[in-house]
């Protein structure tokens, strides 16, 4: 299967950490991505991780990959109201690096 | 570069009419993608091109949908005839062989009444 699944909605208070989860079914995935979509805009790449990595940190963002469980997470530290958006998990596969399969998206609401 | 440019931003049309959505990818990018986003189905890949050649159109829903890329700087997605269930936001994205990051346009919000 090629499904990439995410929970639909997450609500957090400003200043707390947010954790957005994603599960995928294809163990041959090579790159895994997190994209952000703000209202009325297209998707924008936040960060990505190669499948041979377990963790990647980039300022307030931490990506964790558990290949055994096919689970990917995005942690946003000190969540701000500007982080309110829809977050998409995505993957590519060997030989099809350009064909990106997106998850259903998680809408993050940050409460002031 | 101004990024991926899509036009129009909004389109309202009557059922049965032809609709043409336009996209200008980032200069130098050799891949172009058309996506459709709806509440029910999320983000679906409709078709993508490499060096102006369609590579995978398995996501195109029906024969009413067609896409062309006559040159490296322009692509169209056409729906003829349009139906209310085609109402969605259509995104164009481009990327290069050297970097798998996809750059998205602002999208075209299509409403078919």
């Amino acid at each position: 299967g090629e499904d990439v699944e995410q929970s639909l909605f997450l609500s957090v208070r400003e200043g707390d950490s947010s954790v957005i989860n994603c599960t995928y079914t294809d163990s041959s995935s090579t790159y895994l991505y997190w994209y952000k979509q703000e209202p009325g805009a297209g998707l924008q790449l936040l960060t990505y991780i190669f499948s041979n990595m377990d963790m990647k940190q980039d300022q307030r963002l931490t990506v964790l990959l558990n290949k055994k469980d096919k689970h990917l997470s995005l942690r946003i530290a000190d969540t701000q109201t500007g982080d309110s958006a829809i977050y998409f998990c995505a993957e590519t596969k060997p030989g099809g690096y350009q064909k990106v399969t997106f998850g259903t998206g998680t809408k993050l609401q940050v409460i002031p | 570069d101004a990024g991926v440019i899509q036009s129009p931003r909004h389109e309202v049309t009557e059922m049965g009419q032809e609709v043409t959505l336009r996209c200008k990818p980032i200069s130098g990018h050799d891949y172009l993608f058309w996506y459709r986003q709806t509440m029910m189905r999320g983000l679906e890949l409709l078709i993508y091109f490499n060096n102006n050649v369609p590579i995978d159109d398995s996501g195109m829903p029906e024969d009413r949908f067609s896409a062309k890329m006559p040159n490296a700087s322009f692509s169209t997605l056409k729906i003829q005839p349009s139906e209310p269930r085609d109402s969605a936001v259509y995104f164009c994205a481009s990327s290069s062989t050297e970097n798998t990051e996809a750059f998205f346009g602002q999208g075209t919000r299509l409403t078919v009444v």
Side-chain angles (χ1 to χ4, degrees):
Chain A
E2 300 185 5
D3 289 345
V4 180
E5 296 190 355
Q6 305 174 235
S7 54
L8 290 179
F9 189 76
L10 176 66
S11 180
V12 298
R13 293 207 172 274
E14 189 175 17
D16 288 350
S17 292
S18 307
V19 179
I20 303 171
N21 295 302
C22 167
T23 57
Y24 58 98
T25 56
D26 194 332
S27 58
S28 68
S29 296
T30 50
Y31 285 94
L32 294 132
Y33 307 82
W34 285 104
Y35 278 80
K36 177 182 180 183
Q37 183 182 29
E38 296 186 352
L43 281 70
Q44 188 173 18
L45 180 66
L46 274 182
T47 186
Y48 68 93
I49 189 168
F50 192 55
S51 58
N52 67 354
M53 298 169 63
D54 297 324
M55 186 184 85
K56 181 178 181 181
Q57 186 150 5
D58 183 1
Q59 299 182 343
R60 293 190 297 120
L61 305 179
T62 303
V63 179
L64 294 177
L65 176 60
N66 182 328
K67 285 197 74 173
K68 175 176 171 289
D69 295 337
K70 301 189 188 71
H71 182 265
L72 182 75
S73 68
L74 173 69
R75 179 177 180 269
I76 306 172
D78 187 23
T79 313
Q80 303 297 306
T81 53
D83 296 325
S84 294
I86 302 175
Y87 291 81
F88 290 88
C89 168
E91 62 170 358
T92 58
K93 298 183 178 50
Y97 297 114
Q98 301 297 338
K99 185 175 178 179
V100 181
T101 301
F102 287 89
T104 49
T106 299
K107 185 172 183 178
L108 174 65
Q109 179 186 47
V110 182
I111 304 167
Chain B
D1 201 308
V4 176
I5 300 173
Q6 291 186 246
S7 64
R9 287 295 310 276
H10 302 274
E11 176 81 34
V12 180
T13 191
E14 290 185 345
M15 182 173 64
Q17 296 297 306
E18 177 181 293
V19 175
T20 300
L21 312 181
R22 296 174 175 80
C23 176
K24 181 180 186 308
I26 291 174
S27 176
H29 282 187
D30 51 353
Y31 284 86
L32 184 140
F33 307 83
W34 282 101
Y35 287 91
R36 177 171 69 175
Q37 185 177 33
T38 61
M39 289 290 291
M40 293 295 293
R41 294 175 175 266
L43 198 62
E44 303 171 275
L45 176 64
L46 300 178
I47 184 171
Y48 77 96
F49 296 82
N50 178 221
N51 292 322
N52 313 338
V53 175
I55 303 301
D56 184 348
D57 65 354
S58 59
M60 295 285 263
E62 309 171 25
D63 291 344
R64 298 184 296 108
F65 286 69
S66 62
K68 293 182 180 179
M69 192 165 186
N71 57 62
S73 59
F74 184 66
S75 177
T76 60
L77 177 68
K78 187 175 292 187
I79 309 172
Q80 165 63 19
S82 58
E83 297 183 4
R85 61 194 167 116
D86 302 330
S87 297
V89 181
Y90 291 81
F91 286 102
C92 176
S94 69
S95 66
S96 68
T97 303
E98 291 76 32
N99 186 342
T100 62
E101 177 180 357
F103 291 82
F104 281 75
Q106 297 274 65
T108 295
R109 181 174 293 277
L110 173 65
T111 303
V112 183
V113 297

